[in-house]
Every structure is written in C-alpha cells, then in structure tokens.
Amino acid sequence: MTRMTTEEEKAKAPAGSTRRAFAGRLSWGLADQAASSISNFAVGIYVARSLGVTAFGVFSLAWVTYGVVLNVSRGLATDPLVVRFSGVSDTAWRGAVARSSGTALGVGATIGAACVVVGLALGGQVGPAFACLGVMLPGLLLQDAWRYSFFAAGTGKKAFVNDLVWGVALVPAMVLAARAGTVAAFVLAWGASATVAAGYGYVQSGILPRTAQARAWLREQRDLGYRYLVENVSLSGASQLRAYGLGAIVGVGAVGAVRGAELLLGPFLAVLMGLSLVTVAEAARVLRRAPDRLGRFCLLLGGGQAVAALCWGGALLLMPDRLGELVLGDVWHSAAQLIVPVTLGVAGAGLGTGAAAGLRALAAARRSLRCQLFASACYVAGGLGGAALAGTVGSAWGVATATLAASAVWWLQLRSALREHHQDSIPEVRTP
C-alpha cells in the first residue's frame, strides 16, 4: 500500500473542510493586510498632518520609489515562490524560502546603495529622503518577503503577527521623527520599524536568508521571475512616472493630493491587498484540485472587489468636510475632488485582479506580462495626458479610464488561457 501525497490527501478531503481551510487562510490574509495597511494609513495621515502638502508630496515620491523596488523584489523572489511552492512539503518550502528571502535581501542592498548615491547627489529636500530610503530598503524588502513566504506555507497567522510587530515598532519611531520634523526622519522611522519586523521574521521561521544562493534562485526561476519582474516593474514604474510627471506638469502639491485621495480609500485598499496575499496561492490550489472552477473563482474574486470599491467610494462622497479635514488636514480639499475618479480606478483594478490571479496560477507569464505592459502604458498615457489637459483632476480621470480598459484586456487573456489549459488537459485519443 502506498501512502498518498499531501496534495492527494487534500484533494480527497471533504468539501466542507476545504472551504473552512480556505476561509481560514483568507481571514488571516485580510487580518494581516489590515494590520499592514492600518500602519501605512497611520503613517500617511501623520506625515500629511505634520509636514503639509508640499513636504508630503516629497514623502510620497519616496513612497512611490519604494513601491517600484518592492515590485522588483516580488517579481524576482516572492512571486515565483508563491506560484511554485504553495502547499508543498515543509522541506521544499524551507529550502525555497532561504533562497527567495536571500534574493529579496540582495535586491534591497543593491538598489538601496544606488538610492543612497542618487540621494546624496540630488541634495535639497528630496535628496536626503531618497538617501534614507536606500539605507532602509534591505529591511523593508526582507520583511515583505517573510509575509509572502508565510502565506505560501498557509501560515498567514505568522505574517499577521509580523506586521503587528512592525506596527508596534512604528509608534516610538514616529514620535522621534515628529520631533525632527523632516521628511528624511519619517522615512528612517518607517524603514527602521520594518527592519525590526524583518529580524523577528527570522525568529518566527528559523530560516536564515541565503544571499549567496540568490543567483541559483534566479537561474531556477528565470522562466517566471524575469517576466514577473518586467510585469511588476511596469506597474510600479508607471505609478512612479505618473507621479514624477504630475509633479513636473502641475506641481509637487498635486502628487500629495493624489496620495491623499488614495489614503481615503486606504481601508478598502487594505482589503484588496489582503486578498492579493492569498489569491494567487488559492487560485493555484483550485487549479490543482478542480481546474474547471478556476474561472468562476476569479470572477467572484474580481467582481466582489469591484463592488466593494464602489460602495466604499460612495460612502466617502457622503463624508462631511469637517471629518475630512480632521483626517487629512490641509490635504483634504485637494484630495476630495479626486474621490470619484480614484474610486473608479480602484474598482477597475479590483476587477482585473481576479483575472490576474488566474493567469498567475496558470503560470501564463507571457500573457500576464502582455496585459501588464498594456495596462502600464495606458496608465502613464492617461495620467499624464489628463494632467496636461485638466490638471490633477484630469490626471485622475485619465488613470480611471486606463484602468477600466486594462481590466477588460486581463479578462480576455484569462479566457484564452483557460481555453488553452482545457485543451491541453484533454488526453489524446489514439487509434489502434
């Protein structure tokens, strides 16, 4: 008698227990992202109220740059990990995590050094912020790598605890930064608290990141990693180009206004990001157990997020000015004009996320790359074209239009990929 593998055992499990397991993993994903996003939301609000719209714009530029580097790390290190090492044996997972987290740490050190050099060369108010960001990047990226590693293993509770540690460490760090009263001080406080959580991630996992094995990891995952790298960087790079272009066309204050509007959607974005932590891993599990249900899973996922975004945006429109000023201070009046287009853009992104999860689960990296390049090009064109025509509000509407168009392309590509997968899975009929 042969013993069933872990995946076979899971496939044989009753439907009720499978649903309960999925609900548990999803709940921890939402809880983790809630902890992470509440911290980010609090940081954004605190900095906006402490520094004003122009300095907050500088902080937002550093934040957007971090987003680009984070997506480099995810594309090379953690995205392949989630696709290929979700639900595998503990031995396989631990070996992959050591190489993956080492890759994330190496990316942080390499790009961080470049940020320090660029920041020192720039000077002024922007330069010190970028130099401090460069110093903090290794810790920031390693902390994110632990989160994705825990979700790949189905232990989202550890990711949640890790983000709680980051949030607790943020409190004294922000108090010290407020005393200094500079953008650079806030960047240092934010990154230092993440580094504390990154250190705790080693305690939780007992896995030492192997930076020496980063090259081996990149070689093993090159069929996915480099495509995901281009895909992720095109997404965050488009956001950065839009931010820089908006600052050049309209002014740095416009960047702060857009970031303020995004902060208003922060609680919903927490849900969106929380789902993204588990959706690819769950879509991969659905594909292994019941391939015919993948399309329905992605549709429910994307449609639910879009509807939730519209509901949240509707609630924001009813918020009185007094409450908005309490939350964002002087940034509120600029951000309030952008609620409708930003909400539509987030709804479009949520709808497209469902299709993107399906393409990732199918390992259809070529199709997802094609979609993301199209989406990024539309995002930059819509954001900067709208800014040139109608300022900050025009940029927001341009981005909303681009995001909705890109969502349609994501779904067309997923439909084609599902059709191909179905055809490939049909056994060949041989004639005698």
Side-chain angles (χ1 to χ4, degrees):
M1 180 181 294
T2 59
R3 174 174 168 77
M4 287 191 297
T5 64
T6 302
E7 286 300 317
E8 288 172 339
E9 290 172 348
K10 291 178 179 178
K12 299 280 186 181
S17 63
T18 300
R19 284 194 293 269
R20 284 193 297 272
F22 167 68
R25 291 189 294 267
L26 181 61
S27 297
W28 282 119
L30 293 173
D32 169 73
Q33 191 57 44
S36 175
S37 294
I38 287 171
S39 296
N40 289 340
F41 181 74
V43 169
I45 295 299
Y46 197 64
V47 175
R49 291 182 60 84
S50 301
L51 300 180
V53 67
T54 301
F56 184 58
V58 174
F59 182 83
S60 298
L61 291 177
W63 188 288
V64 169
T65 303
Y66 157 71
V68 175
V69 182
L70 181 64
N71 279 303
V72 171
S73 176
R74 287 177 178 175
L76 294 176
T78 52
D79 283 347
L81 176 78
V82 171
V83 170
R84 287 185 167 152
F85 294 91
S86 292
V88 300
S89 68
D90 184 67
T91 301
W93 175 80
R94 292 181 70 85
V97 169
R99 300 192 300 278
S100 174
S101 59
T103 302
L105 196 56
V107 169
T110 302
I111 302 182
C115 282
V116 171
V117 172
V118 171
L120 293 176
L122 284 175
Q125 194 174 19
V126 175
F130 273 74
C132 292
L133 175 65
V135 173
M136 294 293 105
L137 275 176
L140 284 161
L141 298 190
L142 181 58
Q143 192 275 338
D144 186 75
W146 290 130
R147 296 173 69 210
Y148 278 79
S149 299
F150 293 141
F151 278 107
T155 55
K157 181 178 180 180
K158 291 184 177 180
F160 171 70
V161 172
N162 192 276
D163 271 323
L164 279 183
V165 170
W166 187 1
V168 171
L170 262 173
V171 176
M174 285 289 113
V175 172
L176 292 175
R179 292 181 179 178
T182 64
V183 177
F186 280 106
V187 173
L188 281 175
W190 167 55
S193 54
T195 303
V196 171
Y200 184 65
Y202 167 71
V203 175
Q204 290 176 291
S205 65
I207 300 173
L208 183 67
R210 304 287 184 181
T211 54
Q213 296 182 15
R215 184 173 296 179
W217 174 262
L218 294 174
R219 186 168 56 250
E220 293 167 9
Q221 309 301 327
R222 62 181 178 273
D223 59 325
L224 295 182
Y226 292 115
R227 285 194 174 100
Y228 288 159
L229 168 65
V230 176
E231 182 179 330
N232 290 356
V233 170
S234 68
L235 171 64
S236 54
S239 298
Q240 190 174 30
L241 285 175
R242 187 252 184 138
Y244 289 161
L246 185 61
I249 295 170
V250 184
V252 177
V255 181
V258 170
R259 177 61 184 157
E262 292 171 349
L263 282 173
L264 292 173
L265 281 137
F268 171 76
L269 291 174
V271 175
L272 184 66
M273 293 301 296
L275 289 171
S276 71
L277 287 170
V278 296
T279 50
V280 175
E282 291 305 322
R285 290 184 175 96
V286 171
L287 180 64
R288 291 191 187 103
R289 298 172 190 169
D292 56 310
R293 297 180 183 175
L294 181 60
R296 181 184 175 189
F297 172 82
C298 295
L299 182 60
L300 290 173
L301 175 67
Q305 291 178 93
V307 171
L310 294 175
C311 292
W312 185 265
L316 288 176
L317 290 174
L318 300 176
M319 187 166 68
D321 287 341
R322 183 178 301 177
L323 180 58
E325 292 170 358
L326 179 65
V327 174
L328 290 179
D330 294 339
V331 180
W332 160 252
H333 296 288
S334 301
Q337 303 175 49
L338 310 179
I339 290 175
V340 173
V342 169
T343 297
L344 292 176
V346 172
L351 185 62
T353 297
L359 288 175
R360 286 286 175 95
L362 290 164
R366 186 172 299 174
R367 288 186 178 277
S368 62
L369 174 60
R370 194 179 304 153
C371 291
Q372 191 56 66
L373 290 176
F374 174 80
S376 299
C378 288
Y379 184 93
V380 173
L384 297 187
L389 291 173
T392 309
V393 176
S395 179
W397 277 107
V399 166
T401 303
T403 306
L404 291 168
S407 179
V409 174
W410 278 106
W411 279 100
L412 289 172
Q413 288 295 319
L414 177 61
R415 188 174 72 168
S416 298
L418 287 171
R419 188 183 301 118
E420 287 179 1
H421 180 79
H422 177 69
Q423 292 172 350
D424 291 343
S425 64
I426 297 176
E428 183 181 355
V429 179
R430 298 181 180 273
T431 56

